[in-house]
Amino acid sequence: MRFKLHVWRQSGPNAKGAMEAHDVDGITPEMSFLEMIDLLNEKLLADGKEPIAFEHDCREGICGACSMVIDGVPHSPERAVTTCQVHMRSFQDGDDIHVEPFRAKAFPVLKDLVVDRDAFDRIIQAGGYVSVNTGGTPDANEIQIPKVAAESAMDAAACIGCGACVAACPNASAMLFTAAKIAHLGQLPQGQVERGARARAMVEQMDAEGFGNCTNHYECMDACPKEIHVEWIARMNRDYLKASLTAKD
Amino acid sequence: MQLDAKIPDGPIAEKWDRHRREMKLVNPANKRKFKVIIVGTGLAGASAAASMAELGYDVEAFTFHDSPRRAHSIAAQGGINAAKNYPNDGDSIWRLFYDTVKGGDFRAREANVHRLAQVSNNIIDQCVAQGVPFAREYGGLLANRSFGGAQVSRTFYARGQTGQQLLLGAYQALSRQIHLGKVTMRTREEMLDVVVSDGRARGIVTRNLVTGEVVSRAADAVVLATGGYSNVFFLSTNAKACNVTATYRAYKRGAGFANPCFTQIHPTGIPPSGDHVSKTTLMSESLRNDGRVWTPTKAGDTRPANQIPEADRDYYLERRYPSFGNLVPRDVASRAAKERCDAGHGVGPGGRGVFLDFRDAIQRVGRDAVAARYGNLFDMYHHITDSNPYETPMVIYPAPHYTMGGLWVDYNLMSSIPGLHVIGEANFSDHGSNRLGASALMQGLADGYFVLPYTIGDFLARAGNSGVAADAACFTEVEAEVNARTATLLAVNGKRSPDSFHAELGRLMWDKCGMSRTREGLEEALRRIPEIRAAFWSDVSIPGSGADLNQTLEKAGRVADFLEFAELMCRDALDREESCGGHFREEYKTEEGEALRRDDDFCFGSVWEYQGDDAPPALNKEHFTFEHVPLSTRSYK
């Protein structure tokens, strides 16, 4: 198979970027999308040019490092996958393929397809946890949790923190990411004590980072490789509102 | 090199408690005066950083990723062991200890393993308190499943994403300490060397991966939690960035490297579909709970799996190992798969694969029940191979996975360099020559949450502050060396990519130092590795500069270290003239083809000591004694 790849190149955080076209040849349908870029990078390197910088690590869809937009869709037009899980058999021989970084004000480009997603870490740091120290915890089976609640919490906890939701949203909103963590902990008994404070702190941090708000496009859910559901956003809004109205501070 | 394991006196079940009583403590008000550097923020590093910050130490944590949540611990699928005995099937701390020593083929330190089994239960309590969404039964209590090498169900799990959920638990605990200002978190900063002076670790030298800046970081103690080195094989189940640099650099500064040849080949990887493949994807061992492994009885049978009748199927694990069946430990399962493929019974590309079949499980419990247990793994397999495991059996083949070898540590998890501690996969301590499934998560979190936070206090209380600042001569010298090395790499200006050298090395290592090893093969590898290394240093190409984000430069530095480390690994494999666990020497096997351990001559850990680039390393030995789990031939028949 052969393709014409149009890739965003940007030499540094403050540099002006542009799309750059490359012909890639000798691709097989079994190759993953990233292996296709590996091959192109080998070619660039052989020509003495700088390879395309991109983030990747586990290459099995769980680490959340991939941060590419393929043909206008974060990760890929395929549903429920990260870029590393996309294979070239999903494309037609001869296709033009456009590759850009995740774009959002809160995700500045560092180089080529690499973006800075520290804002997500700061949202978790603001309150995405249960405040227990190591040691002194009760026996694990002293906390009984209905299977349905545990499974539902796991659905929300499956978020890999990649940021596709932000890149897909016309408002560059991080509400799906933030809501997923709030829903994970908020559905478990362990998360009740700080439920309101957590929702407030995380939402406020999310706003401070420059992410937009939700206007119900649901593009985030469509782009999410783990199919995190937008219903968590409604839940977050309820938790946030309730906490804001009843807060003592 | 003096190797004192510092194993506490007393009966094995009381050693840890006694040791905790006897350790010196640091006064709560003084803890903040001690700075601890932690390199790596996976399960071991993140849990250690959070726990030590909670205690009051001044913690500075480093990851080369953009976030601690990306560490490769996240990819662990199957589960975490603990001796809770919730299923009431006869488990106990003693049994977990026994299984782990035996599973490791008697090449681990009994006292460490017993402590691991003891604290395993605390880990589950801790993780549940953090909100880790473990699988549960309808009554609301925790669910368990069974795993290889054990006859009890002691594995806790969160679907097929246990590593992810445990890591997020530790990451969240760490995030809380960052928020409280107790941990300084440095992301995209890679450790390139450790600084040792006057016999004590004083800090590290790092490179900021975005700006290229090389920086000295001083501390009173340094902790390496930098994972394993399976990527020496190029193709492994490890994430692409996993590397040996931190532990190998520490080795070159005087830390003993123990048992580098003990590598685990996991039986259930997805076989590579061609030369382009950049990594191997693992299918969780948990699949062997319900999947049956088989090959065609007739060699060269090319019929599609579903057209091969029952009579022509050889369920070789059930045949050879009736009491453990498909749940034999990983080393045994891997070798058995290789044996079948070598004999011409393999399936899939190049005949290097065996079937993992869920037909009977789907008939027995239904498709939905199978999907509930393994749905995400089935989807992952389907994505990669374009073949649906609900309808046709998976094709699997062994793949490099975990490394039991690592930096030598004493009972306190301190390396042979005072002040340099090593936790998680990066150390050698608990798994001997073969790790049992669901034990890596257990060890990483045991070290980070429940062992190191105690033992490091004892070191700091005794040794006091380091008193060496980051502008001291010992730091500037190492900084200059790091800068010189980067400059040398950039100046080679050759034609080949770092990856091409890495792949060449990996093929050689898989061939000569992989699932089976021979004297001839290892000697050949020891001749070839220096040739590849010389070619690397004369022909590697690294476009761009060292002053910004340069992923080729990062890779080149890691490959350069693999090219030296591989030699140490082969040397160790050559020296160990026996077969044990994941280390299988063709010369040492029983008539039935099982591993032949030689306890009289090799019941020790091989601890290698660096002697300079032009001299062979010195071999030191830590002899293991087995007072509680008597030395015996492992049998899973």
Side-chain angles (χ1 to χ4, degrees), chain A residues 140-141 145-147 149-151 153-154 157 184 188 190, chain B residues 78-82 86 120-137 140-144 155-159 161-163 165-166 441 445:
Chain A
N141 259 352
I145 302 174
K147 188 177 170 71
E151 292 294 327
M154 181 64 216
H184 159 207
L188 297 172
Q190 304 93 306
Chain B
I80 177 166
N81 285 335
Y86 286 157
S120 67
N121 292 340
N122 301 84
I123 297 170
I124 303 304
D125 299 343
Q126 185 64 32
C127 294
V128 166
Q130 289 171 344
V132 169
F134 283 122
R136 285 177 184 269
E137 305 291 356
L141 299 178
L142 289 157
N144 285 111
T155 305
F156 295 79
Y157 61 100
R159 293 192 191 150
Q161 291 124 280
T162 317
Q165 293 310 315
L166 295 177
L441 303 183
L445 291 180

Side-chain angles (χ1 to χ4, degrees), chain B residues 4-8 10-16 19 93 96-98 100-101 107-120 123 404 407-415 422-424 427-432 439 442-444 446-447 450-452 455 622-626 628-629:
Chain B
D4 179 1
K6 301 207 175 82
I7 301 168
I12 192 142
E14 292 169 24
K15 283 180 192 292
W16 178 231
H19 192 53
I93 287 170
L96 174 55
F97 158 66
Y98 179 93
T100 307
V101 170
R107 291 295 177 265
R109 199 186 284 148
E110 272 190 339
N112 284 52
V113 179
H114 194 277
R115 176 178 64 191
L116 175 69
Q118 277 176 283
V119 303
S120 67
I123 297 170
M404 285 74 68
L407 291 180
W408 181 87
V409 288
D410 63 15
Y411 188 75
N412 295 316
L413 304 180
M414 188 159 82
S415 74
V422 192
I423 57 177
N427 75 26
F428 91 118
S429 76
D430 295 353
H431 306 296
S439 290
M442 172 173 67
Q443 186 223 333
D447 289 359
F450 295 109
V451 180
L452 186 69
T455 59
E622 182 192 340
H623 287 274
F624 298 131
T625 49
F626 293 89
H628 303 90
V629 186

Side-chain angles (χ1 to χ4, degrees), chain B residues 463-479:
Chain B
N465 285 102
S466 157
V468 176
D471 57 1
C474 58
F475 278 98
T476 45
E477 280 163 24
V478 176
E479 242 185 69

Side-chain angles (χ1 to χ4, degrees), chain A residues 35 42 54-55 57-60 81 89 111 121 134-135 139-140 145 147 151 155 157 181 184 190, chain B residues 51 54 65 67 84 86 125-126 128 131 136 140 159 171-172 188 240-241 278-279 383 497 549 551:
Chain A
E35 285 161 359
E42 284 283 318
F54 67 102
E55 296 232 67
D57 200 22
C58 76
R59 296 203 176 195
E60 47 189 74
V81 290
R89 58 175 174 264
K111 186 172 186 173
D121 286 329
T134 302
D139 183 87
I145 302 174
K147 188 177 170 71
E151 292 294 327
D155 286 342
K181 186 48 65 190
H184 159 207
Q190 304 93 306
Chain B
S51 304
E54 289 160 8
H65 284 116
S67 162
K84 285 285 195 186
Y86 286 157
D125 299 343
Q126 185 64 32
V128 166
R136 285 177 184 269
R159 293 192 191 150
Y171 159 76
Q172 287 163 202
R188 296 190 194 270
K240 294 294 284 178
S278 58
K279 78 151 271 167
H383 267 302
S497 68
L549 182 66
Q551 294 175 325

Side-chain angles (χ1 to χ4, degrees), chain B residues 595-611:
Chain B
L596 184 68
R597 234 176 45 223
R598 296 177 60 206
D599 293 330
D600 288 347
D601 299 315
F602 290 96
C603 196
F604 57 77
S606 305
V607 187
W608 297 93
E609 182 180 0
Y610 180 70
Q611 303 278 314

Side-chain angles (χ1 to χ4, degrees), chain A residues 73-102:
Chain A
V73 186
H75 288 306
S76 111
E78 228 173 292
R79 277 195 72 87
V81 290
T82 54
T83 303
C84 63
Q85 295 173 294
V86 176
H87 288 76
M88 297 316 292
R89 58 175 174 264
S90 309
F91 296 87
Q92 297 291 318
D93 193 12
D95 272 357
D96 278 49
I97 304 174
H98 293 78
V99 188
E100 293 172 80
F102 283 0

